């Protein structure tokens, strides 16, 4: 599978327009600061963007970030601006052609960002074997990844490696493709379906259990978006499976329980995270309004305390009195309309019948 994927991203595709799904289309719902950040990135890098979501969490100043399957480096160069000159970004990818584009523009971006020294480096290697790249245990503040883990033949190894290298309290914030049921083996062997980030996708519930099994006790769904397939023949091969692109965050937090429990604890968000002064959204089920005490589960209390968000919250309560299961609505995926599309081509060309739907990946 590694060779098939290298060929697909190194030789078959030459830009986002060549993709057969809308996965790389990002909603036009970008903040002005993110638009400004993306406008600083070299065109050749933007053209070779094959991601399926936004992997730009809050509060990155000074962080050391690792981007797994960085491709031509769009997210690395975006995050390089967010971590600032005191932070750094390392991209890892196995495909020479992708890394060549990423490496070619290091100096361009250093100058564009006004940094004395470039804060971005790229390493050739496999995301299943970060140990071979000498990435030490507990050494990385944050891992990001954009539409890559579905392509790995050994997803357990990838998640285990991420858990190993993250610092305690660190997180992986990543977008990927998920299926609404398990993909049968004969579809996994189809190189086009696999390369297009479809048939390697995990059934979302298998993914959550896999993440838990390596130590990420409480996977948090941030957002999800239906993927449509712009090729009838390809869509037909996928039988009745529907796909979504979802962004999850997984924290490496100690002492979390299997299910969220209620101890009557509260946290108050201080309103101090830049660009999120009014409210801060941790995940699809959890938004904190500034200065307003909010009831949280023991797991959320511990996760916030151990994470880089700690100093932005006031914590009230303890674990003395248990009140039962913490009531949260289940994270909801939308798998409704994968097969709705038909005719036209790339992720970036507005389709005639859906011109009001905005896309901004190109
Ligand atoms: C869909 S592209 C996404 C690239 C990039 N994240 C972006 O958003 O443009 C997948 C990338 O992951 C890389 N990749 C896939 N499997 C990999 C693995 N096991 N180890 C390292 N890189 C991998 C591919 O070479 C390719 O560049």
């Amino acid at each position: 599978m590694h060779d098939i994927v290298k060929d697909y991203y190194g030789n078959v595709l030459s830009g986002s327009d060549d993709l057969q799904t809308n996965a790389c289309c990002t909603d036009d719902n970008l903040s002005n600061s993110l638009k400004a950040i993306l406008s600083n990135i070299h065109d050749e890098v933007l053209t070779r963007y094959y991601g399926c979501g936004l992997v730009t969490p809050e509060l990155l100043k000074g962080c050391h970030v690792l981007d797994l399957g960085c491709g031509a480096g769009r997210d690395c160069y975006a995050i390089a601006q967010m971590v600032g000159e005191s932070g750094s970004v390392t991209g890892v990818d196995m495909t020479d052609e992708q890394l060549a584009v990423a490496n070619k523009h290091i100096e361009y971006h250093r100058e564009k960002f006004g940094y004395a020294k470039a804060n971005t480096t790229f390493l050739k290697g496999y995301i299943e074997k970060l140990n071979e790249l000498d990435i030490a245990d507990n050494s990385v503040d944050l891992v990001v990844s954009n539409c890559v883990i579905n392509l790995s033949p050994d997803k357990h190894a990838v998640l285990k490696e991420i858990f190993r290298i993250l610092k305690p309290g660190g997180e992986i914030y990543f977008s990927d493709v998920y299926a609404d049921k398990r993909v049968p083996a004969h579809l996994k062997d189809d190189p086009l379906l696999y390369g297009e980030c479809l048939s390697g996708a995990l059934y979302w519930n298998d993914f959550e259990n896999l993440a838990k099994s390596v130590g990420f006790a409480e996977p948090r769904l941030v957002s999800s978006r239906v993927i449509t397939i712009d090729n009838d023949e390809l869509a037909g091969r996928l039988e009745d499976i529907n796909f979504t692109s979802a962004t999850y965050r997984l924290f490496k937090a100690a002492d979390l329980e299997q299910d969220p429990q209620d101890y009557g604890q509260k946290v108050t968000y201080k309103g101090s995270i830049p660009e999120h002064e009014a409210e801060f959204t941790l995940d699809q089920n959890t938004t904190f309004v500034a200065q307003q005490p909010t009831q949280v589960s023991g797991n959320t209390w511990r996760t916030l305390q151990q994470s880089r968000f700690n100093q932005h919250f006031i914590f009230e309560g303890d674990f003395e009195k248990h009140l039962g299961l913490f009531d949260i609505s289940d994270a909801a995926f939308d798998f409704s309309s994968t097969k709705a599309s038909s005719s036209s081509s790339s992720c970036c060309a507005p389709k005639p019948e859906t011109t009001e739907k905005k896309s901004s990946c190109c």
Side-chain angles (χ1 to χ4, degrees), residues 2 9 49-51 69 93-95 98 125-128 146-147:
H2 280 152
Y9 288 95
Y49 169 64
Y50 303 125
D93 206 286
M94 65 181 183
T95 304
Q98 294 275 74
Y126 293 103
I127 60 173
E128 297 85 357
N146 202 341
C147 224

Side-chain angles (χ1 to χ4, degrees), residues 1-2 5-10 13 16 19 24 45-46 48-53 55 67-76 92-99 123-130 144-154 158 175-176 194-197:
M1 276 308 172
H2 280 152
V5 172
K6 277 184 199 171
D7 184 53
Y8 201 66
Y9 288 95
L13 299 181
S16 327
L19 288 167
C24 82
V45 170
L46 293 176
R48 292 190 73 113
Y49 169 64
Y50 303 125
C52 55
V55 292
D67 180 0
L68 299 184
C70 60
R74 187 196 84 151
D75 293 328
C76 290
V92 174
D93 206 286
M94 65 181 183
T95 304
D96 288 323
E97 292 82 354
Q98 294 275 74
L99 287 171
L123 301 175
K124 182 175 176 183
Y126 293 103
I127 60 173
E128 297 85 357
K129 297 178 182 170
L130 299 174
V144 297
S145 184
N146 202 341
C147 224
V148 176
I149 296 176
N150 73 84
L151 295 167
S152 170
D154 189 351
V158 176
S175 299
D176 208 350
Y194 199 91
E196 281 283 327
C197 295

